[in-house]
Amino acid sequence: MDVNEKFKLVLPYVKVNVWEDYAELATTYNPVNLGMGYPDFLPPHHIIDALTEVLSSEDVMLQQYTRAEGHPRLVKALAKMYSPSVNRFIDPLEEIITFAGAFGALYCTIMGHIQQGDEVIIIEPFFDCYQSMVIAAGGTPKYIPLRFQDGDATQSSDWVLDFKELDGLFNSKTKAFILNTPHNPFGKVFNKTELLYIAHLCQKWNVMCIADEVYEWLVYEPKRHIKMASLPGMWERTISIGSAGKTHCITGLKVGWAIGPKHLLINLQSGPKLPSSPFAQEAIAIGIEKDLARFGQDDCFQQLLRKSLKLKTDYMVEVLREIVMEPIVPDAGIFLVADWASLEAKVDFSSETGTCKDLQFTKWFIKNVGVQMIPVSIFYSDANKGLGQNLVRLCYIKKDECLQKAANVFREWKTRKSV
């Protein structure tokens, strides 16, 4: 057998990497980048100061191995931060594990619990790693899309789960339900009625809930984030995922965590730990300690970030409406989804490849207009990609100058008469 044939990627993992494609397009065409989900500005000063302090410290152990399940100072800070939101004391040494980002926490959670034949329910659209991780673990993804219930679906809260459809997915093979709230990409904050119904089904069928809550600190007034683990009967069957990259605008540091009962977290330790570096964890711990001292005050970083993001959201919503895109206004997070279908006549699809129109549209837009957006169909299963092909995702956690530049490009393109 040829060496290339023997060592080729096995079928379940073969997938076109859209992110690499769009990164290459960004490098080649240098568009205004509203595609990738990270800030184009520095993290807050107290995090930068903490990193400087830690890296210049004479404490040698901050540069060496730390506790595998989580740096002691960080897990203690996380326990103090999260205990009030789940109405119980979280044991920092038994009920929290830190990882190399939320991605690492999700990977170990799924690989530690899902086996061949297990079914995992995933809400569409979804953060694309959910699907690949479940398949890699030997599980079978089962999908349920958010659907708009009435009207024009202009608010993220208009997109809901069909409870009857959800009922039909749970069975004796169901091992886990992945809940992403606040939701990427819609920015939907699941309300208490929705969460209680999901909790009811998880308890009825003895299913664990993997709660990806990385945007929980970025919820806009008057909405409120409710942690799944805080609901009656759900602490013992929920693993909550968090991220310093999202809470402190420093995605490259790769510090994430999983919080849950000891009997679930022990399974996350059965394979590779995927830990973050001790100095990164120490710096984030220092940052959280400073945040806790200002929680609820006007100068709290999370409060300032929420206010800033709400202004950016409102600005981009108006810009998109001006160029005749129809935005789905988010209640949280850093993304804005918009329906671009009314612009189809201005686009030459024949010049672009892609199985869905949103792929063709976004590639054409990068090359011919100069703004990068992400096609939403990539966040759907193959069977449901049609539900997302009229939608694009924009990331607005960018400097105001970047958003203004994008707005000017959009407006200039609107005045063009044809393709």
Side-chain angles (χ1 to χ4, degrees), residues 108 118 127 148 150 163 184 209 227-228 248 346 386:
C108 288
D118 290 339
F127 182 35
F148 59 85
D150 290 304
F163 286 174
N184 171 12
C209 180
K227 294 187 76 66
M228 177 59 86
H248 291 93
K346 291 174 69 78

Tab-separated table of all heavy atoms in Angstrom, residues 108 118 127 148 150 163 184 209 227-228 248 346 386:
chain	number	residue	atom	x	y	z
A	108	CYS	N	-12.172	17.890	25.858
A	108	CYS	CA	-12.025	16.895	26.924
A	108	CYS	C	-13.377	16.477	27.503
A	108	CYS	O	-13.563	15.328	27.905
A	108	CYS	CB	-11.121	17.450	28.023
A	108	CYS	SG	-9.376	17.544	27.533
A	118	ASP	N	-23.301	6.527	21.191
A	118	ASP	CA	-23.976	7.603	21.920
A	118	ASP	C	-24.488	8.665	20.948
A	118	ASP	O	-23.830	8.985	19.955
A	118	ASP	CB	-23.021	8.277	22.913
A	118	ASP	CG	-22.674	7.390	24.091
A	118	ASP	OD1	-23.440	6.440	24.362
A	118	ASP	OD2	-21.635	7.637	24.734
A	127	PHE	N	-21.448	26.188	16.796
A	127	PHE	CA	-20.000	26.366	16.734
A	127	PHE	C	-19.447	25.084	16.127
A	127	PHE	O	-19.657	24.000	16.659
A	127	PHE	CB	-19.457	26.613	18.142
A	127	PHE	CG	-17.981	26.870	18.223
A	127	PHE	CD1	-17.305	27.567	17.229
A	127	PHE	CD2	-17.252	26.420	19.309
A	127	PHE	CE1	-15.941	27.801	17.313
A	127	PHE	CE2	-15.891	26.647	19.412
A	127	PHE	CZ	-15.237	27.338	18.413
A	148	PHE	N	-37.458	30.673	13.283
A	148	PHE	CA	-38.185	31.864	13.720
A	148	PHE	C	-39.664	31.536	13.811
A	148	PHE	O	-40.219	30.844	12.983
A	148	PHE	CB	-37.912	33.076	12.827
A	148	PHE	CG	-38.255	32.920	11.374
A	148	PHE	CD1	-39.547	33.143	10.917
A	148	PHE	CD2	-37.282	32.574	10.453
A	148	PHE	CE1	-39.859	33.022	9.574
A	148	PHE	CE2	-37.587	32.447	9.104
A	148	PHE	CZ	-38.876	32.667	8.666
A	150	ASP	N	-42.467	33.786	14.453
A	150	ASP	CA	-43.461	34.685	13.867
A	150	ASP	C	-42.738	35.905	13.304
A	150	ASP	O	-41.593	36.186	13.653
A	150	ASP	CB	-44.482	35.171	14.913
A	150	ASP	CG	-45.424	34.063	15.363
A	150	ASP	OD1	-46.071	33.472	14.487
A	150	ASP	OD2	-45.470	33.791	16.567
A	163	PHE	N	-40.457	22.669	20.580
A	163	PHE	CA	-40.416	21.714	21.694
A	163	PHE	C	-40.853	20.311	21.270
A	163	PHE	O	-40.323	19.307	21.749
A	163	PHE	CB	-41.271	22.209	22.851
A	163	PHE	CG	-40.661	23.342	23.629
A	163	PHE	CD1	-41.371	23.977	24.634
A	163	PHE	CD2	-39.367	23.768	23.375
A	163	PHE	CE1	-40.811	25.016	25.371
A	163	PHE	CE2	-38.786	24.804	24.098
A	163	PHE	CZ	-39.518	25.433	25.092
A	184	ASN	N	-23.816	31.516	19.653
A	184	ASN	CA	-22.993	31.886	18.502
A	184	ASN	C	-23.508	31.093	17.309
A	184	ASN	O	-23.524	29.864	17.371
A	184	ASN	CB	-21.530	31.526	18.777
A	184	ASN	CG	-20.626	31.675	17.560
A	184	ASN	OD1	-20.994	32.238	16.547
A	184	ASN	ND2	-19.418	31.130	17.676
A	209	CYS	N	-25.861	17.763	30.273
A	209	CYS	CA	-25.898	18.993	29.486
A	209	CYS	C	-24.499	19.596	29.467
A	209	CYS	O	-23.895	19.819	30.521
A	209	CYS	CB	-26.892	19.989	30.075
A	209	CYS	SG	-26.995	21.534	29.145
A	227	LYS	N	-27.651	30.444	34.152
A	227	LYS	CA	-26.804	29.269	33.987
A	227	LYS	C	-27.641	28.000	34.118
A	227	LYS	O	-28.435	27.868	35.069
A	227	LYS	CB	-25.672	29.269	35.015
A	227	LYS	CG	-24.670	30.398	34.819
A	227	LYS	CD	-23.488	30.267	35.750
A	227	LYS	CE	-22.517	29.177	35.299
A	227	LYS	NZ	-21.859	29.486	34.016
A	228	MET	N	-27.483	27.094	33.172
A	228	MET	CA	-28.213	25.827	33.223
A	228	MET	C	-27.962	25.101	34.541
A	228	MET	O	-28.873	24.510	35.122
A	228	MET	CB	-27.823	24.951	32.037
A	228	MET	CG	-28.466	23.579	32.031
A	228	MET	SD	-30.274	23.628	32.005
A	228	MET	CE	-30.569	23.752	30.239
A	248	HIS	N	-12.112	38.602	28.675
A	248	HIS	CA	-11.070	39.622	28.796
A	248	HIS	C	-10.416	39.989	27.462
A	248	HIS	O	-9.345	40.592	27.434
A	248	HIS	CB	-9.997	39.167	29.792
A	248	HIS	CG	-10.487	39.115	31.207
A	248	HIS	ND1	-10.992	37.972	31.781
A	248	HIS	CD2	-10.585	40.082	32.154
A	248	HIS	CE1	-11.354	38.227	33.027
A	248	HIS	NE2	-11.129	39.491	33.276
A	346	LYS	N	-27.138	41.887	-7.360
A	346	LYS	CA	-25.910	42.662	-7.553
A	346	LYS	C	-24.658	41.798	-7.558
A	346	LYS	O	-23.544	42.316	-7.638
A	346	LYS	CB	-25.791	43.726	-6.460
A	346	LYS	CG	-26.813	44.845	-6.550
A	346	LYS	CD	-26.713	45.781	-5.355
A	346	LYS	CE	-25.432	46.604	-5.338
A	346	LYS	NZ	-25.474	47.743	-6.276
A	386	GLY	N	-29.360	24.592	3.840
A	386	GLY	CA	-30.246	25.527	3.156
A	386	GLY	C	-30.858	26.556	4.087
A	386	GLY	O	-31.209	27.662	3.654
